[in-house]
Amino acid sequence: NFQLVRAVPAIKFFGTGRHTSENIAEVLKSEIESVKKDGALAVLVTDSTNNMKKARNILKESEITDETFGCVIHTVQNAIKDAIKNTPGVKKVVMKAKKLTKHFRKSPKASNYMKSACEKSGHQFTRMKTSIEIRWNSEHDALERLLHHQECVELMDRKRAG
């Protein structure tokens, strides 16, 4: 007779204090104690930054939480970022793509050339996307958009070279 209950007990302004593991654990402790009732389990899931890992350990050791976990999605996202950063060929391609995307987003002239190239190739123009480090999948979306416009970019490059 198991019933899954999902709750966000609080969203709280942390103030100007430092985000040390001890300070984080103290804030979480007061919030967990305010909602933990009648022997209910307290399970805490956080990202896997060092201060959050240590805060989870503090809460687990002091028996404030029954179980703690690092978020699997955060772990996967960090693995992807590390793989891109530590794979020279991939890093080089991603950096060039970012530079090209930035050029088309910042330069009205380049953007207009892109629109024109899209029209000539029968391709629908859409604005380039940028990757933002804290937005998951934004790097994928930016690269996908650049690939969407690959034919137009190549057409522009041939015109420039010819």
Side-chain angles (χ1 to χ4, degrees):
N1 196 9
F2 178 78
Q3 181 181 359
L4 177 63
V5 177
R6 298 175 188 189
V8 176
I11 297 174
K12 196 169 189 174
F13 177 64
F14 199 80
T16 58
R18 293 185 42 168
H19 288 83
T20 64
S21 53
E22 292 80 10
N23 289 345
I24 292 168
E26 194 57 39
V27 169
L28 289 171
K29 176 183 174 191
S30 67
E31 293 302 320
I32 291 168
E33 287 176 340
S34 74
V35 296
K36 189 174 178 182
K37 296 183 174 56
D38 302 324
L41 290 175
V43 179
L44 179 64
V45 180
T46 71
D47 65 26
S48 293
T49 56
N50 288 334
N51 58 346
M52 292 305 285
K53 284 194 257 185
K54 190 172 177 188
R56 288 194 318 252
N57 288 337
I58 291 169
L59 294 170
K60 178 93 172 169
E61 288 169 6
S62 61
E63 298 181 358
I64 302 300
T65 58
D66 297 294
E67 194 58 71
T68 64
F69 299 99
C71 176
V72 173
I73 301 301
H74 276 91
T75 303
V76 170
Q77 183 63 24
N78 287 335
I80 292 167
K81 283 173 29 181
D82 288 347
I84 290 169
K85 185 171 69 177
N86 296 319
T87 308
V90 173
K91 183 178 179 180
K92 186 176 179 180
V93 168
V94 169
M95 295 308 291
K96 283 185 176 186
K98 283 182 180 185
K99 187 175 179 181
L100 187 58
T101 297
K102 183 178 178 181
H103 174 68
F104 284 115
R105 287 183 61 91
K106 296 279 183 184
S107 168
K109 186 177 179 181
S111 185
N112 287 334
Y113 282 142
M114 171 69 84
K115 286 177 188 174
S116 176
C118 285
E119 287 173 10
K120 287 178 183 172
S121 66
H123 189 85
Q124 182 180 355
F125 172 79
T126 49
R127 191 165 187 233
M128 293 291 201
K129 291 185 175 185
T130 56
S131 64
I132 301 165
E133 188 169 334
I134 60 170
R135 284 205 187 135
W136 297 350
N137 283 347
S138 69
E139 197 148 61
H140 170 269
D141 294 344
L143 291 169
E144 186 175 59
R145 180 64 54 91
L146 185 58
L147 285 172
H148 173 76
H149 287 304
Q150 180 177 355
E151 185 179 333
C152 303
V153 172
E154 289 172 350
L155 177 63
M156 292 170 60
D157 190 47
R158 283 192 301 273
K159 280 187 175 184
R160 186 180 60 85

